[in-house]
Amino acid sequence: YRHIAPTPPNCANPTSPANGAVNVCNSGTTLTWTAPVGGGAPTGYRMYFGTNNLPTNIVNGTNIGNVLLYNTGALLPSTTYYWYVTPTNGAGDAVGCSAQVRSFTTGTGCYIQPTSGTTSVSSCGGAYFDSGNSGLDYSNGESGVTTFCPSIVGQYVQVTFSTFQTEAGLDVLTIYNGNSIAAPVLGTYSGTNMPCVVTSTAVNGCLTFRFVTDGSVTYFGWTATVSCVAVPPGPVVGSTCGNAPAITMP
């Protein structure tokens, strides 16, 4: 009988956020990785996370369990963070994983679609994401509302989408021209039918977004930016790009 000693794991493979990512939500993000290939099976992961490089000043080697993600919690705006994980088991820690240190930089403002309930925001700037933030898919069974009103009196909220994908016909974003879902509907969007640039014409200058999802199949959702304009558009509002028709207000 020959005893084979257990071996430590190899290093994990970081996946999200992308290394060097910018404008990551300062409301928090999720760090993800895949399990190591080769070596012993991990029983946990030691997290290293901070604003110093190599990172130690927020989380310094805490074993967060046998999981493949870590939620950062609220972050400082316009700040660069560094992170890596070291797989571990009863035979010891993986070796050399600090060579995989990754970084990301937060933006100056960030808004996340709630999975339920209503969030009201007074803003003329920032990033706007689905509930999965900038790195993950949204969830099943959502029914959340976000209302943006201008932080500058007399201006009108404008939201510009740069990416958009949901389950076509089943996970639907509805946009309202005002400060509630009782306001007139500007349009409904799903699949890859992207809203593009949407500008309020309401007297209060607000836009409201309601996102409802079914019980299966999710996608990355959307990335958008919030701004304000001094003069509202004419009677035609909605998308200004070719893959989604403009909506004419009654």
Side-chain angles (χ1 to χ4, degrees), residues 88-104:
T88 187
N89 63 17
D93 295 347
V95 176
C97 300
S98 62
Q100 295 180 327
V101 66
R102 292 163 72 98
S103 69
F104 64 88

Side-chain angles (χ1 to χ4, degrees), residues 122-151:
S122 176
S123 178
C124 281
Y128 173 40
F129 298 98
D130 61 273
S131 64
N133 206 320
S134 59
L136 299 175
D137 292 354
Y138 57 81
S139 304
N140 292 315
E142 294 191 16
S143 183
V145 176
T146 298
T147 295
F148 292 102
C149 289
S151 56

Side-chain angles (χ1 to χ4, degrees), residues 29-153:
T29 192
T30 302
L31 312 179
T32 65
W33 56 93
T34 58
V37 176
T43 58
Y45 293 86
R46 298 191 185 280
M47 169 58 63
Y48 296 86
F49 178 55
T51 56
N52 57 330
N53 187 15
L54 292 168
T56 57
N57 63 359
I58 296 177
V59 183
N60 185 15
T62 300
N63 189 334
I64 60 173
N66 195 11
V67 296
L68 298 176
L69 57 83
Y70 174 78
N71 295 311
T72 65
L75 302 168
L76 296 172
S78 302
T79 301
T80 298
Y81 289 85
Y82 302 88
W83 71 281
Y84 69 95
V85 292
T86 296
T88 187
N89 63 17
D93 295 347
V95 176
C97 300
S98 62
Q100 295 180 327
V101 66
R102 292 163 72 98
S103 69
F104 64 88
T105 301
T106 55
T108 56
C110 183
Y111 310 103
I112 305 299
Q113 183 74 6
T115 58
S116 62
T118 299
T119 297
S120 297
V121 177
S122 176
S123 178
C124 281
Y128 173 40
F129 298 98
D130 61 273
S131 64
N133 206 320
S134 59
L136 299 175
D137 292 354
Y138 57 81
S139 304
N140 292 315
E142 294 191 16
S143 183
V145 176
T146 298
T147 295
F148 292 102
C149 289
S151 56
I152 302 173
V153 176

Side-chain angles (χ1 to χ4, degrees), residues 115 131 138-144 166-173 190 211-219:
T115 58
S131 64
Y138 57 81
S139 304
N140 292 315
E142 294 191 16
S143 183
T166 71
E167 186 181 12
L170 296 173
D171 298 344
V172 179
L173 179 67
S190 69
F211 188 49
V212 177
T213 68
D214 69 354
S216 64
V217 183
T218 60
Y219 289 92

Side-chain angles (χ1 to χ4, degrees), residues 174-224:
T174 304
I175 305 176
Y176 303 84
N177 192 32
N179 61 358
S180 75
I181 59 174
V185 173
L186 294 182
T188 57
Y189 302 89
S190 69
T192 56
N193 181 28
M194 186 164 68
C196 293
V197 181
V198 183
T199 308
S200 175
T201 60
V203 173
N204 53 32
C206 303
L207 288 173
T208 295
F209 298 81
R210 184 185 186 195
F211 188 49
V212 177
T213 68
D214 69 354
S216 64
V217 183
T218 60
Y219 289 92
F220 62 76
W222 65 82
T223 301

